Amino acid sequence: MEPTPWKTALTDARPNAVRIRGYAVEQLMGRLDFGQAVYLLLRGELPDERAARLINAILVSCIDHGPAVPSTLAARTVASTGGPLSAAVAAGILAVNAIHGGAIEGAARALLAAEAADAFVRAVPEGSGGVVPGFGHRIHTHDPRAARLFELAAEAALAQREMAAAREIEAALERRHGRRIPLNIDGAIAAVLLGLGFEPEVMNGFFMLSRAAGLIAHAREETVREHKMRSMNRPPPVYDGPAARSVTGTRSQNPEA
Amino acid sequence: MEPTPWKTALTDARPNAVRIRGYAVEQLMGRLDFGQAVYLLLRGELPDERAARLINAILVSCIDHGPAVPSTLAARTVASTGGPLSAAVAAGILAVNAIHGGAIEGAARALLAAEAADAFVRAVPEGSGGVVPGFGHRIHTHDPRAARLFELAAEAALAQREMAAAREIEAALERRHGRRIPLNIDGAIAAVLLGLGFEPEVMNGFFMLSRAAGLIAHAREETVREHKMRSMNRPPPVYDGPAARSVTGTRSQNPEA
Amino acid sequence: MEPTPWKTALTDARPNAVRIRGYAVEQLMGRLDFGQAVYLLLRGELPDERAARLINAILVSCIDHGPAVPSTLAARTVASTGGPLSAAVAAGILAVNAIHGGAIEGAARALLAAEAADAFVRAVPEGSGGVVPGFGHRIHTHDPRAARLFELAAEAALAQREMAAAREIEAALERRHGRRIPLNIDGAIAAVLLGLGFEPEVMNGFFMLSRAAGLIAHAREETVREHKMRSMNRPPPVYDGPAARSVTGTRSQNPEA
Amino acid sequence: MEPTPWKTALTDARPNAVRIRGYAVEQLMGRLDFGQAVYLLLRGELPDERAARLINAILVSCIDHGPAVPSTLAARTVASTGGPLSAAVAAGILAVNAIHGGAIEGAARALLAAEAADAFVRAVPEGSGGVVPGFGHRIHTHDPRAARLFELAAEAALAQREMAAAREIEAALERRHGRRIPLNIDGAIAAVLLGLGFEPEVMNGFFMLSRAAGLIAHAREETVREHKMRSMNRPPPVYDGPAARSVTGTRSQNPEA
């Protein structure tokens, strides 16, 4: 009831001036890539080169996974009804939950609790499938994104303790279940973001930021390539884009390169 | 009814392999920043350095504008009820419409139609305020983000024709209305994205991508700094974050640097 | 910037008292059905019995249409990721657009403009399929809901002029296209709501209110009957609920009964 | 991967026929009010008169609470940006969470667990404010909606055990906290819906269904009465609608009447 104004420490927006964490936004434009700006906004300080490279790798890792995953299917379904782009993107974001893209926060908590990985893994109730957020995947037995992210973190000599904790949980899962339940990209992101000092509560946001790009691309493809309100209940979609190819001659973000 | 599968040209996701526009995602991680990956996904090819710098500048430009704008207020309102992060972000995205962040597509169409800027501006109905999407701002008479984006595009020698069209509309608006109705960041983004070859229909997506970062930061700040379900109907918030400061020693993204 | 408070004419909520359009909500509870309360809130006055029966019939008409329609598919997709009920319902609502459930407003505008139905129908661009919102259906050649709603409106001697306009557009569409493009439930609702005095701008809301019940039921069915994050891209679902049956002995809402 | 179709027991939609739980929808139209149809869809059978009256009373109870509550503020914020009605309603629904409208499910679980109310109340962690979902209210010390709903349930001789459990929790809360933390409308709805045999998981849906009507009314009022993208950060709104009045001569839904 009292009329004291509330406060924000993120951005100071005044007539003809917008300062992000103290920095004039126009000074940041052209100097920071988006990953650096995300780090600044969420953490309050600029990242060094190594952290910036990892943040961008995380944002690249989840940018798309084809049309059949829940977030993308929800976005394409809304697009198929002629809805505006913002409605398609919002519907896709709403499908980011514990089972899809939203395991990063839970994985971070698991890593923080995993002093004794076997005890932790044993404590997971049987009824929940016995699994831990960030481990196991519907189609990937060896998630290439998770492996690459850990490779990059190792190159940067960051998040070493958290990566070790992830490996311990993986081993404990195999001991309990008698089969490999491998680290997935959610779990790998959790380990790296913990190593960089992020709070678990904002971590699922990295998946949302990354996948929002895919949702935009799919909403547009739906509008251009399909007729309105077509049935989505049909066989899985087939990829007909560019054949497999490799990046050559692109500037690596590796600070050592 | 026929069971032919539908098609996608964006991403080929198979067991243990995810290819974005033909590139293995793990090869992109560590080599591309997020702006480059967004360009690749939406356009189908990798950007050159100049285009990549502009895309990142666009994504940085709208990353936050403080808590009082509609998208942020909607996200904080949802966060104040204890909703999950995805609900707060989705609610914020739903506030991106023609009046707020969603003028980029309309501005692009205006620029494409602006062969004869005076005729175009005269054709805008009086009832709509006589304005053109991408021009005029509630609080900025000189939007520092728009000026900086055009400076960067000029440095890159890109979007020159589209920037000229924007200046012509600005001049025509001043002639019709007798006062300056300046280009805003939406209009500047539209000109640069047109110059880079993007379709108008995906352009509002850049605002959504950028601002999603702000929505995440504000949802978290709301949860940490305010009590649940507090009244939002009170005086505008006050900034209490870091004082004004400057970037020094940060690697410039300027390819000429 | 001026601190004058804004105003609302809908509800006066104070400590221990909530008045809807002037009526204490606890006095309305037990006296009004939900259709009557919706009418009161949107129109400002209580409906008579005939109007109340039509409003309830409209709300019943769109309550569900099986799992394959876009709104329901979006809601089930979100539910399949473990999202909260509010996220599933919101995603479903976001699929209510011009092509699905959101043609009521457009149909009302068509009916208002249909003084000369042939001229109106001729003016529809060829590229848009030549159709008018509220006419034609993907699977129904004779929409039983539209027929029944007009039967009820005829019994009530309401919306007669608007129903005639709908029939004229139907006839003009047949003359132009050489085949029947029948009134659908969106068009029928538009005619009846116009007859009852509602503004076109709120009319799509009746579909949202009605279908929200279906979204809740499907989100729950998804959770109970399907495994998490299952593929939606498969053959259309099969109905296995109660066999066809009839209402007997239920109090008719017909005021004449 | 197997191509077996999935199943639904809710609605059988075929060309020219839509059956809700076995009943042809056109037979339900004009015979059921919306509350009865919601009961049929969610429970599978038609309600008797007493249950139908309670369902409608629940749907009426939460239809609106003025513009300052989170769901309504989110919807009005989206409407203020020119978004479509579906976006405003979806944003409002997203604000239905544990703190606002979404305590019904939790309250139902509390009532089910409240064999020994004192032990239950003592088990609530101090850190959570010591409160139980469905008890306490930001502005109502005596929620007139909760009192009326219990009065109606008592008249119908339904949900007696669940109402008693609610009173026991209320008493146990007073014993623990030394002050009255009264049953609110969420808690009262939970007790009545439990008594009617609904599952806790669908109960928050009743608030969403009910409040969706308010969201539609407020989105429209925002568009009509306020200028676009106005600041919401200002003093609380003032009611200027019809003065207090009473229903007279309206058909009571009381089956005994």
Side-chain angles (χ1 to χ4, degrees):
Chain A
M1 294 299 159
E2 80 284 32
T4 52
W6 41 298
K7 289 171 183 166
T8 181
L10 298 169
T11 295
D12 187 13
R14 301 159 179 251
N16 304 326
V18 178
R19 287 187 174 272
I20 309 288
R21 295 291 199 173
Y23 296 107
V25 68
E26 68 270 22
Q27 207 206 0
L28 303 179
M29 294 166 63
R31 282 190 180 77
L32 304 191
D33 61 45
F34 185 61
Q36 293 172 303
V38 169
Y39 184 105
L40 170 63
L41 186 62
L42 290 175
R43 299 291 311 281
E45 297 299 332
L46 289 165
D48 63 20
E49 288 270 335
R50 296 181 307 155
R53 192 186 183 212
L54 287 173
I55 293 291
N56 277 291
I58 288 169
L59 291 174
V60 170
S61 69
C62 300
I63 196 167
D64 196 33
H65 199 275
V69 295
S71 54
T72 310
L73 186 66
R76 289 189 78 125
T77 300
V78 169
S80 84
T81 66
L85 185 58
S86 56
V89 172
I93 295 287
L94 292 174
V96 178
N97 290 300
I99 316 290
H100 171 55
I104 308 176
E105 179 176 343
R109 297 189 192 288
L111 293 170
L112 288 171
E115 294 285 295
D118 280 296
F120 179 83
V121 164
R122 269 198 306 272
V124 176
E126 205 51 65
S128 68
V131 292
V132 172
F135 294 82
H137 196 278
R138 199 169 51 154
I139 73 167
H140 300 309
T141 53
H142 177 84
D143 192 325
R145 304 166 296 178
R148 174 64 172 155
L149 187 57
F150 272 18
E151 184 180 85
L152 291 167
E155 279 179 35
L158 285 167
Q160 317 236 36
R161 195 181 53 201
E162 292 79 7
M163 291 195 288
R167 292 304 176 206
E168 279 163 35
I169 292 181
E170 209 175 35
L173 281 167
E174 188 162 3
R175 281 191 293 274
R176 175 171 175 189
H177 296 283
R179 61 188 168 83
R180 239 184 122 248
I181 299 174
L183 183 76
N184 62 33
I185 183 64
D186 286 3
I189 291 173
V192 172
L193 290 179
L194 272 181
L196 293 175
F198 284 86
E199 300 173 296
E201 289 84 353
V202 302
M203 289 187 183
N204 290 339
F206 283 84
F207 182 90
M208 295 175 212
L209 276 176
S210 178
R211 184 56 52 86
L215 301 177
I216 293 163
H218 278 282
R220 181 65 185 145
E221 189 182 62
E222 176 71 28
T223 303
V224 171
R225 297 191 75 177
E226 305 291 339
H227 62 83
K228 283 279 183 295
M229 203 176 155
R230 52 127 179 170
S231 173
M232 298 274 169
N233 293 119
R234 45 194 315 180
V238 168
Y239 175 74
D240 70 345
R245 52 182 172 168
S246 288
V247 180
T248 53
T250 303
R251 169 176 65 86
S252 169
Q253 285 203 309
N254 189 330
E256 280 87 274
Chain B
M1 292 300 160
E2 80 283 28
T4 53
W6 41 297
K7 290 169 182 165
T8 182
L10 297 169
T11 295
D12 187 14
R14 296 157 183 253
N16 304 326
V18 178
R19 286 189 175 273
I20 309 287
R21 297 287 200 177
Y23 296 105
V25 68
E26 67 270 23
Q27 205 205 1
L28 303 180
M29 294 167 63
R31 284 191 178 77
L32 304 191
D33 61 44
F34 185 62
Q36 293 171 301
V38 169
Y39 185 104
L40 169 64
L41 186 63
L42 290 175
R43 298 293 310 282
E45 298 299 333
L46 290 164
D48 63 18
E49 288 270 336
R50 296 181 307 154
R53 192 187 185 212
L54 287 173
I55 293 292
N56 276 292
I58 288 170
L59 290 174
V60 169
S61 70
C62 300
I63 197 166
D64 197 33
H65 199 276
V69 294
S71 54
T72 310
L73 185 64
R76 290 188 78 126
T77 300
V78 169
S80 83
T81 65
L85 185 58
S86 55
V89 172
I93 295 286
L94 291 174
V96 178
N97 290 301
I99 316 292
H100 170 55
I104 308 176
E105 179 177 343
R109 296 187 194 289
L111 293 170
L112 288 172
E115 294 285 292
D118 281 297
F120 180 84
V121 164
R122 270 197 308 271
V124 176
E126 206 49 67
S128 68
V131 290
V132 172
F135 294 83
H137 197 279
R138 199 167 54 153
I139 73 168
H140 300 308
T141 54
H142 176 84
D143 191 325
R145 303 166 298 177
R148 174 64 172 154
L149 187 57
F150 271 18
E151 183 179 85
L152 290 166
E155 279 179 34
L158 284 167
Q160 316 237 36
R161 196 181 54 203
E162 291 80 7
M163 292 196 289
R167 291 304 176 207
E168 280 163 35
I169 292 180
E170 208 175 39
L173 280 167
E174 186 160 4
R175 282 191 293 273
R176 175 170 175 190
H177 296 283
R179 61 190 167 83
R180 238 184 123 249
I181 298 174
L183 183 75
N184 62 33
I185 184 62
D186 286 3
I189 291 173
V192 172
L193 289 179
L194 271 182
L196 292 175
F198 283 86
E199 300 174 296
E201 290 85 353
V202 302
M203 289 185 183
N204 290 339
F206 283 84
F207 183 89
M208 295 174 211
L209 276 176
S210 177
R211 185 56 52 89
L215 301 177
I216 293 163
H218 279 282
R220 181 67 186 143
E221 189 181 64
E222 176 70 28
T223 303
V224 171
R225 298 192 75 176
E226 305 290 338
H227 63 82
K228 283 280 182 291
M229 204 176 152
R230 54 131 177 164
S231 174
M232 298 275 168
N233 294 119
R234 45 196 311 182
V238 169
Y239 176 77
D240 69 348
R245 51 183 172 167
S246 288
V247 181
T248 52
T250 303
R251 169 176 64 89
S252 170
Q253 284 204 310
N254 190 329
E256 282 87 274
Chain C
M1 292 299 159
E2 79 284 28
T4 53
W6 41 298
K7 289 170 184 168
T8 182
L10 297 169
T11 295
D12 187 13
R14 299 157 181 254
N16 304 326
V18 178
R19 287 189 174 272
I20 309 287
R21 296 291 199 174
Y23 297 105
V25 68
E26 68 270 23
Q27 206 206 359
L28 303 179
M29 294 167 64
R31 283 191 179 77
L32 303 191
D33 60 45
F34 185 60
Q36 293 172 303
V38 169
Y39 184 104
L40 169 65
L41 185 63
L42 290 175
R43 299 291 311 281
E45 297 299 332
L46 290 165
D48 63 21
E49 288 270 335
R50 295 181 307 154
R53 193 187 183 211
L54 287 173
I55 292 293
N56 277 292
I58 288 169
L59 291 174
V60 169
S61 70
C62 299
I63 196 166
D64 195 34
H65 199 276
V69 295
S71 54
T72 310
L73 186 65
R76 290 189 79 125
T77 301
V78 169
S80 84
T81 65
L85 185 58
S86 56
V89 172
I93 295 286
L94 291 174
V96 178
N97 290 300
I99 316 291
H100 171 54
I104 309 177
E105 179 176 344
R109 296 189 192 289
L111 293 171
L112 289 172
E115 294 284 294
D118 281 297
F120 180 82
V121 163
R122 269 197 306 274
V124 176
E126 206 50 67
S128 68
V131 291
V132 172
F135 294 83
H137 195 279
R138 200 168 52 155
I139 72 167
H140 300 309
T141 53
H142 177 84
D143 191 324
R145 303 166 297 178
R148 174 65 171 153
L149 187 58
F150 272 19
E151 184 179 85
L152 292 167
E155 278 179 34
L158 285 168
Q160 317 237 37
R161 196 180 52 201
E162 291 80 6
M163 291 196 288
R167 292 304 176 206
E168 279 163 35
I169 292 181
E170 208 175 35
L173 280 167
E174 189 162 2
R175 281 190 293 273
R176 174 169 175 190
H177 296 283
R179 62 188 167 85
R180 237 183 124 247
I181 299 174
L183 183 77
N184 62 33
I185 184 63
D186 286 4
I189 291 173
V192 171
L193 290 178
L194 272 182
L196 292 175
F198 283 86
E199 299 174 297
E201 289 85 355
V202 301
M203 288 186 185
N204 290 339
F206 283 84
F207 182 89
M208 295 175 211
L209 276 176
S210 177
R211 186 54 54 87
L215 301 176
I216 293 163
H218 279 282
R220 181 66 185 144
E221 190 182 61
E222 177 70 28
T223 303
V224 171
R225 297 193 74 176
E226 306 290 339
H227 63 83
K228 283 279 183 292
M229 203 175 153
R230 53 132 179 166
S231 173
M232 298 275 169
N233 293 121
R234 47 195 314 181
V238 168
Y239 176 76
D240 70 346
R245 52 181 171 168
S246 287
V247 180
T248 52
T250 303
R251 170 176 65 88
S252 169
Q253 284 203 312
N254 189 330
E256 279 88 277
Chain D
M1 292 297 161
E2 79 284 28
T4 52
W6 38 298
K7 289 170 184 167
T8 182
L10 298 169
T11 295
D12 188 12
R14 298 158 180 250
N16 304 325
V18 177
R19 286 188 175 273
I20 309 288
R21 297 288 198 174
Y23 296 106
V25 68
E26 68 269 22
Q27 206 205 359
L28 303 180
M29 295 167 63
R31 282 191 179 76
L32 304 191
D33 60 45
F34 186 62
Q36 292 171 303
V38 168
Y39 184 105
L40 170 65
L41 186 63
L42 290 174
R43 300 292 310 284
E45 299 298 333
L46 290 165
D48 63 18
E49 288 270 335
R50 295 181 308 153
R53 191 186 185 211
L54 287 173
I55 292 292
N56 277 292
I58 287 169
L59 291 174
V60 169
S61 70
C62 299
I63 196 165
D64 196 35
H65 199 276
V69 293
S71 55
T72 309
L73 185 66
R76 290 190 77 127
T77 300
V78 170
S80 84
T81 66
L85 184 58
S86 55
V89 172
I93 295 288
L94 291 173
V96 178
N97 290 300
I99 317 291
H100 170 55
I104 309 177
E105 180 176 342
R109 296 188 192 290
L111 293 171
L112 288 173
E115 294 285 293
D118 280 298
F120 180 83
V121 163
R122 269 197 308 273
V124 176
E126 204 51 67
S128 67
V131 290
V132 173
F135 294 82
H137 195 278
R138 198 167 55 153
I139 72 168
H140 300 307
T141 53
H142 176 83
D143 191 323
R145 302 167 297 178
R148 173 66 172 154
L149 187 57
F150 272 18
E151 181 179 86
L152 290 166
E155 278 179 34
L158 285 168
Q160 316 237 37
R161 195 181 54 201
E162 292 80 6
M163 293 196 288
R167 293 303 176 208
E168 279 163 35
I169 292 181
E170 210 176 36
L173 280 167
E174 188 161 3
R175 281 190 294 272
R176 174 169 175 191
H177 296 283
R179 62 186 166 85
R180 234 182 127 250
I181 299 175
L183 183 77
N184 62 32
I185 183 63
D186 286 3
I189 291 173
V192 172
L193 289 179
L194 271 182
L196 292 176
F198 284 86
E199 300 174 296
E201 290 85 352
V202 301
M203 288 186 184
N204 290 339
F206 283 84
F207 183 89
M208 295 175 211
L209 276 176
S210 177
R211 185 55 53 88
L215 301 176
I216 293 163
H218 279 282
R220 180 67 186 144
E221 190 181 61
E222 177 69 30
T223 303
V224 171
R225 298 192 74 175
E226 304 291 338
H227 63 82
K228 283 279 182 293
M229 204 176 154
R230 54 130 177 167
S231 173
M232 298 273 170
N233 294 118
R234 47 197 312 180
V238 169
Y239 176 77
D240 70 346
R245 51 182 172 168
S246 288
V247 180
T248 52
T250 302
R251 171 175 64 90
S252 169
Q253 285 204 309
N254 188 330
E256 282 87 277

